[in-house]
Amino acid sequence: MHPDENNESRLPLRIALIGAGGFLGTNLARYLGSRVAEVRCFGRRQAFPDALQGFRWITGDTSLDTTEALSEVIADCDAVIHLASTSNPTTADRDISADAQANVIASLRLFDQCVAAGIKRLVFISSGGTVYGIPAHVPIPESAPTLPITAYGVAKLAIEKYLEVYSRLRGLDYRVLRISNLYGPFQTAEKKQGVVAAFLSEAMRGEHLEIWGDGQVVRDYIYVADVAESVLAALQHQGEQRIFNIGSGTGLNLIELIDAMEHLLGRRLQRQFRPGRPVDVPVNILDCMLAKKELGWYPRTDFPDGLRRTAEWLETWHRQQRCQVG
Amino acid sequence: MHPDENNESRLPLRIALIGAGGFLGTNLARYLGSRVAEVRCFGRRQAFPDALQGFRWITGDTSLDTTEALSEVIADCDAVIHLASTSNPTTADRDISADAQANVIASLRLFDQCVAAGIKRLVFISSGGTVYGIPAHVPIPESAPTLPITAYGVAKLAIEKYLEVYSRLRGLDYRVLRISNLYGPFQTAEKKQGVVAAFLSEAMRGEHLEIWGDGQVVRDYIYVADVAESVLAALQHQGEQRIFNIGSGTGLNLIELIDAMEHLLGRRLQRQFRPGRPVDVPVNILDCMLAKKELGWYPRTDFPDGLRRTAEWLETWHRQQRCQVG
């Protein structure tokens, strides 16, 4: 649905999406665009400019001191969704203090601006895959110990903890969504963001699938449209809870993931095993019962269906890329 | 004992004390000075220059990018004790992003330098009074949830969590000491650091004791010499545990604290009640059994004895201050 249509049924919310130009941001803008009064997008660049046509876009970088551009985007907004990040679990470890500067400090400056602008609700997209570290038990509830093993996870956790202080001292109302391993349309293999997009792309190109470790690493894969629903629920949530796991609640290892892809594509995929990486916890499955109870949210897309829709999007995207090159 | 004497019985350790010029730093330098081969002191300024005579002192500020001065002090050291802090639980909340910059980011830069210098052990002085927030139960074990309600507590917790990442990825061996409410010689009322020094100073000047809240706030008071012993134990600890509570393991409310002071001073003290502060959790008592088991450490100074020694030091110090003024 185009963001300009069907104004009557929309929630009377003006929302700023901070970090709107990437995989999740593009999905969120499109999902919320037809459900709330206004979505303003802020980010360093648009990975998929065609997909964000019709949205108000402001270019800026939260990791720099872009006070003016940020002020402009959040002025008069009811809510802010913060998903800006300059790094991922692999890259954040390269220069830990620079990563903390670009993400933790940048988030605090954003929160200061939200307080100054009188933002009524901030939703922070955190990382259910990294804040817990190596879990003692799965599925992992929100109350489990948070012992991240990567700088990426520590940064997300520190931002969560600072949000609680902003809430207590500055009155900034917030919700945190700890998202598991995301997959879906607008995720590409180029940015090494997700194994689903990476494997599907390799499969479509007829390449070997590169498996880090022995393939027994278990992850909780959540379809991006389901996450978008959880964000809308978090924007409206009334209640005492602040932090919610958002995942499928079930785990797949890499071999099972590849099996599902072989089933979808109807052919055998070649596998190439690589040494494991220190950023990989052995297992991560989120307990999402609190989100069900408090947000009325549950993951509606089963994995085979999400995988099919992701593969369809990737196929179209690859075709467009080839046309642009050719 | 002067740092130059009795070399034979010392541990063959060269130690850099980062943040050496204040209350705890001055105590630590003097305690360790006679027990290890060398103590190098680094800090913004010396609050008690006479007490640090004979120590190598390098002036610098970890919150600025003083790479050279820091490199100089940690070069060739075996261990680093990090207790530098630009704020306290009250002041940190005033500008949260500036506080994170001056303390979290500064600590990460220090850790980078420790890695580069091949430091074999880092001991970080954390805050048992703030990292837990409002406890569900007391005494609080190290495994309790960490839900700080102040920026000061979040910063300490974030530094702890980043240390674990530095350990895993960069091989920086560390121990964290979560210290409860410190008191003892070299703590003065001027910096609003501790209620023991504040009350004793007010009592000595014949003023009313200013009580924030209803006086029922319970704290775990630990004598600074006991903390110095725990630091020496943490420098040498071999074992899997990384984080230790260091406190008395018992709680006193403010009224009981004042009763103990009246008993010591042999006279009645006037009380003035003020509104409570948002940074004050209602109760904090640390469970220190892990430190006993792993470090062989326990608090040896009972409160009446520590209070007496603190009062004696403060009386001498106040007399010196008056002489300097007069």
Side-chain angles (χ1 to χ4, degrees):
Chain A
M1 196 187 297
H2 190 274
D4 293 338
E5 289 168 25
N6 193 18
N7 262 310
E8 294 69 31
S9 64
R10 294 175 187 215
L11 293 167
L13 288 176
R14 199 175 295 163
I15 291 171
L17 262 185
I18 309 299
F23 161 44
L24 178 57
T26 302
N27 277 281
L28 275 179
R30 289 161 63 93
Y31 178 85
L32 296 171
S34 59
R35 289 167 177 86
V36 303
E38 187 185 346
V39 176
R40 292 181 192 168
C41 298
F42 178 94
R44 289 181 292 174
R45 60 179 201 89
Q46 300 178 43
F48 308 95
D50 292 350
L52 291 178
Q53 278 184 17
F55 287 94
R56 179 168 165 195
W57 175 270
I58 294 151
T59 300
D61 187 341
T62 55
S63 71
L64 308 173
D65 206 349
T66 51
T67 310
E68 276 180 44
L70 257 182
S71 299
E72 186 189 338
V73 75
I74 67 174
D76 308 323
C77 278
D78 301 291
V80 167
I81 303 169
H82 174 29
L83 60 150
S85 178
T86 67
S87 61
N88 64 43
T90 306
T91 60
D93 288 333
R94 288 178 197 154
D95 184 340
I96 296 175
S97 66
D99 187 73
Q101 184 78 48
N103 293 289
V104 181
I105 302 292
S107 295
L108 303 184
R109 284 200 307 255
L110 169 62
F111 301 157
D112 283 332
Q113 292 199 270
C114 289
V115 171
I119 295 298
K120 293 199 273 293
R121 168 72 51 94
L122 185 133
V123 176
F124 173 56
I125 305 299
S126 185
S127 166
T130 63
V131 297
Y132 298 109
I134 300 167
H137 308 282
V138 288
I140 312 168
E142 290 83 354
S143 58
T146 41
L147 303 166
I149 64 169
T150 59
Y152 185 85
V154 176
K156 295 289 186 201
L157 185 64
I159 294 166
E160 289 186 7
K161 301 285 184 191
Y162 274 121
L163 264 177
E164 177 62 21
V165 175
Y166 272 87
S167 167
R168 285 177 177 269
L169 301 180
R170 312 271 197 269
L172 182 60
D173 187 26
Y174 75 99
R175 297 297 183 274
V176 167
L177 300 178
R178 293 178 173 167
I179 313 283
S180 68
N181 279 52
L182 264 172
Y183 74 100
F186 300 104
Q187 188 179 48
T188 65
E190 275 62 28
K191 292 192 74 182
K192 310 260 177 211
Q193 290 170 316
V195 69
V196 173
F199 280 179
L200 279 176
S201 296
E202 286 161 348
M204 286 174 186
R205 286 194 298 256
E207 296 168 1
H208 287 77
L209 309 194
E210 277 195 25
I211 299 168
W212 302 88
D214 62 3
Q216 296 306 311
V217 164
V218 171
R219 290 289 177 276
D220 175 331
Y221 296 97
I222 182 77
Y223 189 63
V224 68
D226 290 339
V227 171
E229 287 186 4
S230 77
V231 172
L232 188 60
L235 282 167
Q236 304 172 79
H237 176 245
Q238 300 298 322
E240 296 302 310
Q241 298 295 328
R242 293 293 174 268
I243 300 179
F244 302 98
N245 283 339
I246 298 295
S248 71
T250 57
L252 285 179
N253 69 31
L254 291 179
I255 306 303
E256 292 167 327
L257 186 66
I258 295 169
D259 288 346
M261 289 181 185
E262 289 182 335
H263 186 79
L264 173 72
L265 301 173
R267 60 189 166 89
R268 184 110 182 100
L269 301 172
Q270 298 302 314
R271 299 141 199 231
Q272 186 151 33
F273 290 86
R274 304 270 187 204
R277 300 175 300 182
V279 298
D280 286 328
V281 298
V283 57
N284 182 273
I285 305 169
L286 301 182
D287 178 337
C288 302
M289 286 301 109
L290 189 66
K292 187 168 188 185
K293 180 167 167 272
E294 288 280 324
L295 304 179
W297 176 89
Y298 61 97
R300 292 201 284 182
T301 311
D302 67 13
F303 189 71
D305 191 35
L307 191 63
R308 183 183 51 75
R309 287 150 75 182
T310 305
E312 286 168 6
W313 181 86
L314 261 178
E315 200 138 357
T316 308
W317 187 75
H318 279 164
R319 200 179 310 124
Q320 288 171 347
Q321 296 296 103
R322 281 195 299 272
C323 292
Q324 283 170 17
V325 173
Chain B
M1 198 184 297
H2 189 274
D4 293 337
E5 291 166 24
N6 192 17
N7 261 310
E8 293 70 30
S9 63
R10 293 173 188 216
L11 292 167
L13 287 176
R14 199 175 293 162
I15 290 171
L17 263 185
I18 309 299
F23 160 44
L24 177 57
T26 301
N27 277 281
L28 274 180
R30 289 161 61 93
Y31 178 85
L32 295 171
S34 59
R35 287 167 178 86
V36 304
E38 187 185 345
V39 175
R40 292 180 191 168
C41 297
F42 178 95
R44 288 182 292 174
R45 60 178 201 88
Q46 300 178 43
F48 308 95
D50 292 349
L52 291 179
Q53 278 184 16
F55 287 94
R56 180 168 164 196
W57 175 270
I58 294 151
T59 300
D61 186 342
T62 55
S63 72
L64 308 173
D65 205 349
T66 51
T67 311
E68 276 179 43
L70 256 182
S71 299
E72 187 189 336
V73 74
I74 67 174
D76 307 323
C77 279
D78 300 293
V80 166
I81 303 169
H82 174 30
L83 59 150
S85 179
T86 66
S87 60
N88 64 42
T90 306
T91 61
D93 288 333
R94 289 178 196 155
D95 184 341
I96 296 176
S97 66
D99 187 72
Q101 185 78 46
N103 292 290
V104 180
I105 302 293
S107 295
L108 303 184
R109 283 199 308 254
L110 169 62
F111 301 158
D112 284 332
Q113 292 199 269
C114 290
V115 171
I119 295 299
K120 292 200 273 293
R121 170 71 51 95
L122 185 134
V123 176
F124 173 57
I125 305 298
S126 184
S127 167
T130 63
V131 297
Y132 299 109
I134 300 166
H137 308 283
V138 288
I140 312 168
E142 290 84 352
S143 58
T146 43
L147 304 167
I149 64 169
T150 59
Y152 185 85
V154 176
K156 295 289 186 202
L157 185 63
I159 295 166
E160 289 186 7
K161 301 284 182 191
Y162 273 121
L163 264 178
E164 176 62 19
V165 175
Y166 272 86
S167 167
R168 286 177 175 268
L169 300 180
R170 311 271 198 268
L172 182 61
D173 187 25
Y174 75 98
R175 298 296 183 275
V176 167
L177 300 178
R178 292 178 174 168
I179 314 284
S180 68
N181 280 50
L182 265 171
Y183 74 100
F186 300 104
Q187 188 178 49
T188 65
E190 273 62 26
K191 293 191 74 181
K192 310 257 177 214
Q193 290 169 316
V195 70
V196 173
F199 280 180
L200 279 176
S201 297
E202 286 162 349
M204 286 173 186
R205 286 194 298 256
E207 296 168 2
H208 286 77
L209 308 194
E210 276 195 26
I211 299 168
W212 301 88
D214 61 3
Q216 295 306 311
V217 163
V218 171
R219 290 289 177 274
D220 175 331
Y221 296 97
I222 182 77
Y223 189 64
V224 69
D226 290 339
V227 172
E229 287 186 5
S230 77
V231 172
L232 188 61
L235 283 167
Q236 304 172 80
H237 176 246
Q238 300 299 322
E240 295 302 309
Q241 298 296 328
R242 293 292 174 270
I243 300 179
F244 303 98
N245 284 339
I246 299 295
S248 71
T250 57
L252 285 179
N253 69 31
L254 291 178
I255 306 302
E256 292 166 328
L257 186 67
I258 295 168
D259 288 346
M261 289 180 186
E262 289 183 335
H263 186 79
L264 172 72
L265 301 173
R267 60 189 167 88
R268 185 111 182 101
L269 301 172
Q270 298 303 314
R271 300 142 198 230
Q272 186 150 33
F273 289 86
R274 304 270 186 203
R277 299 176 301 180
V279 299
D280 287 327
V281 296
V283 57
N284 183 273
I285 306 170
L286 301 183
D287 178 336
C288 303
M289 286 299 109
L290 190 65
K292 187 167 188 186
K293 180 166 167 273
E294 289 279 324
L295 304 178
W297 175 89
Y298 61 96
R300 293 201 283 182
T301 312
D302 66 13
F303 189 72
D305 191 35
L307 192 63
R308 183 183 51 75
R309 287 150 74 184
T310 305
E312 285 166 8
W313 181 86
L314 261 177
E315 200 138 355
T316 308
W317 187 75
H318 280 163
R319 201 178 311 124
Q320 288 171 347
Q321 297 296 103
R322 281 195 300 272
C323 292
Q324 284 170 16
V325 171

